[in-house]
Amino acid sequence: MSHNLQGKTAIVTGAAQGIGLEIARQLSEAGAGVVIADIDESAAKEAAAQLTNATAMACDVRDEEQVKGLVDATVATYGGLNVMIPNAGIAAVSPIVEMDLAAWRAVTSVNLDGVFLSIRYAAPAIIASGGGSIVTLGSITALAGTPLISSYAASKAAVVNLTKTAATELRDHGVRVNAVLPGFAATSLVTSQVDAFESALGLPSGGFAAVIEQKQGRFGTVEEIAKSVLFLAGDESTFCSGSGLVLDGGLDAGLF
Ligand SMILES: NC(=O)c1ccc[n+]([C@@H]2O[C@H](COP(=O)([O-])OP(=O)(O)OC[C@H]3O[C@@H](n4cnc5c(N)ncnc54)[C@H](O)[C@@H]3O)[C@@H](O)[C@H]2O)c1
C-alpha cells in the first residue's frame, strides 16, 4: 500500500460492511488507527476485530449527540483525528408521486444530515490535530436525474455541493474536503433494491445487471472505490480539495 497513514487516526461511518468496511481495511493497512462507526454495533465489532488498530463505535449518523460523541470518543481513544470518511448511506426505490415525506426524510436524514453532522463535528477535531482530510461518498446519481431513487440522487447531489462548500470554508484551516462519485457496485445497498427496480421499470429478472453492463461495462468493486478514497485521504493528493472524482467505468462520459 503506497499511501502512508502511519500514526494518523480515521473515522469511517457505515463501516461495518460494503464500501465503508473496505475503506477501513485499506486505511488500517496504510497504518492508520481506524474507528468503525456504524448503527449496527455488533457488525461493527466483528469488522473491527478483522483489522489492526481498529475500534468499533456505535453511531447513528442522524443523531447529533451520537456524532459529537463519536468524534469525542475517537479523540479520547487515539489522541486526535486526521481523516473523516462520512460513508454511511441508504437508498430506497419509489416514484416521487408515491413517496410520502417520512420516506423521503428517511433517506435524506442519513445521506445528507449525516454527512453534515459528520463534517460539522469532525472538522474542529481535525483542525485541532494539525489538519487532515475529509472524503465524502457522492454518487454518479448526483450528476443526472435517476428515476425511482429521487431521495438518494438528490441527497448525493447535495453532498457533492456540501463537499465543495466545506472545502472553501476549511482550506485555510488545513482541511481538504473531496468527494468520490462511484457508479454502481454490487454491495447490499444495490443488490437489496434490484427486485424493486426491475419491477418498477418493467425489466425481466437480470435486466438491471444488463443495464449496468451496457452503461458502465461491469459493476465497480469496493476495492476500486476504496483505493480512490485512500488517495484523497492521504498525502498524495495535497493540492486536491473541493473535487469530485468520478469512478463509473465511463457511464457519465457519453450518451451511448
Ligand atoms: N454501492 C454502490 O453502488 C454505491 C455507489 C455510489 C455511492 N455509494 C455510497 O457508498 C456508501 C456506502 O454504501 P455501500 O454500498 O457500502 O452500502 P451498504 O448498505 O453495504 O453499507 C452501508 C452501511 O451503513 C450503515 N448505516 C446505515 N444507516 C446508518 C446510520 N443512520 N448511521 C450509521 N450507519 C448507518 C449500515 O449499517 C451499513 O453498515 C453510501 O454512502 C452509498 O450511498 C454506493
Side-chain angles (χ1 to χ4, degrees):
M1 174 58 66
S2 58
H3 312 283
N4 190 349
L5 290 160
Q6 202 69 42
K8 306 288 188 193
T9 300
I11 297 172
V12 187
T13 71
Q17 64 175 39
I19 294 167
L21 175 54
E22 181 59 24
I23 294 168
R25 187 190 317 281
Q26 292 190 16
L27 286 166
S28 163
E29 285 170 358
V34 185
V35 171
I36 300 211
D38 205 286
I39 196 169
D40 184 341
E41 186 174 14
S42 65
K45 283 185 177 153
E46 270 180 45
Q50 301 173 26
L51 307 181
T52 304
N53 200 11
T55 307
M57 295 191 190
C59 179
D60 181 343
V61 298
R62 296 169 296 186
D63 184 308
E64 183 165 12
E65 284 309 309
Q66 290 189 37
V67 176
K68 185 174 183 307
L70 168 68
V71 171
D72 290 346
T74 300
V75 171
T77 304
Y78 287 97
L81 178 65
N82 311 100
V83 172
M84 168 55 103
I85 316 289
N87 163 82
I90 62 170
V93 172
S94 169
I96 293 168
V97 295
E98 291 172 18
M99 196 182 331
D100 61 28
L101 184 57
W104 168 269
R105 285 185 175 152
V107 171
T108 61
S109 62
V110 178
N111 291 10
L112 180 55
D113 300 355
V115 176
F116 158 68
L117 290 171
S118 299
I119 296 173
R120 162 71 183 85
Y121 287 102
I126 296 174
I127 293 167
S129 306
S133 174
I134 299 170
V135 187
T136 61
L137 275 286
S139 159
I140 198 68
T141 64
L143 300 180
T146 316
L148 304 172
I149 51 171
S150 58
S151 54
Y152 183 83
S155 64
K156 292 299 181 181
V159 163
V160 171
N161 190 279
L162 179 61
T163 300
K164 292 182 186 197
T165 300
T168 65
E169 292 188 10
L170 296 170
R171 183 189 64 197
D172 297 340
H173 302 280
V175 184
R176 297 182 298 108
V177 193
N178 292 285
V180 291
L181 282 70
F184 293 86
T187 64
S188 72
L189 179 131
V190 170
T191 56
S192 65
Q193 307 293 337
V194 166
D195 288 350
F197 246 122
E198 287 178 345
S199 83
L201 291 170
L203 295 170
S205 177
F208 181 74
V211 171
I212 295 303
E213 196 175 324
Q214 187 206 348
K215 296 282 187 185
Q216 58 177 47
R218 58 172 171 80
F219 283 99
T221 68
V222 295
E223 290 82 3
E224 289 170 317
I225 297 167
K227 271 187 202 167
S228 291
V229 171
L230 266 277
F231 166 70
L232 293 169
D235 284 346
E236 293 185 3
S237 59
T238 42
F239 200 45
C240 191
S241 196
S243 76
L245 179 53
V246 174
L247 309 164
D248 71 350
L251 184 157
D252 183 53
L255 288 177
F256 300 102

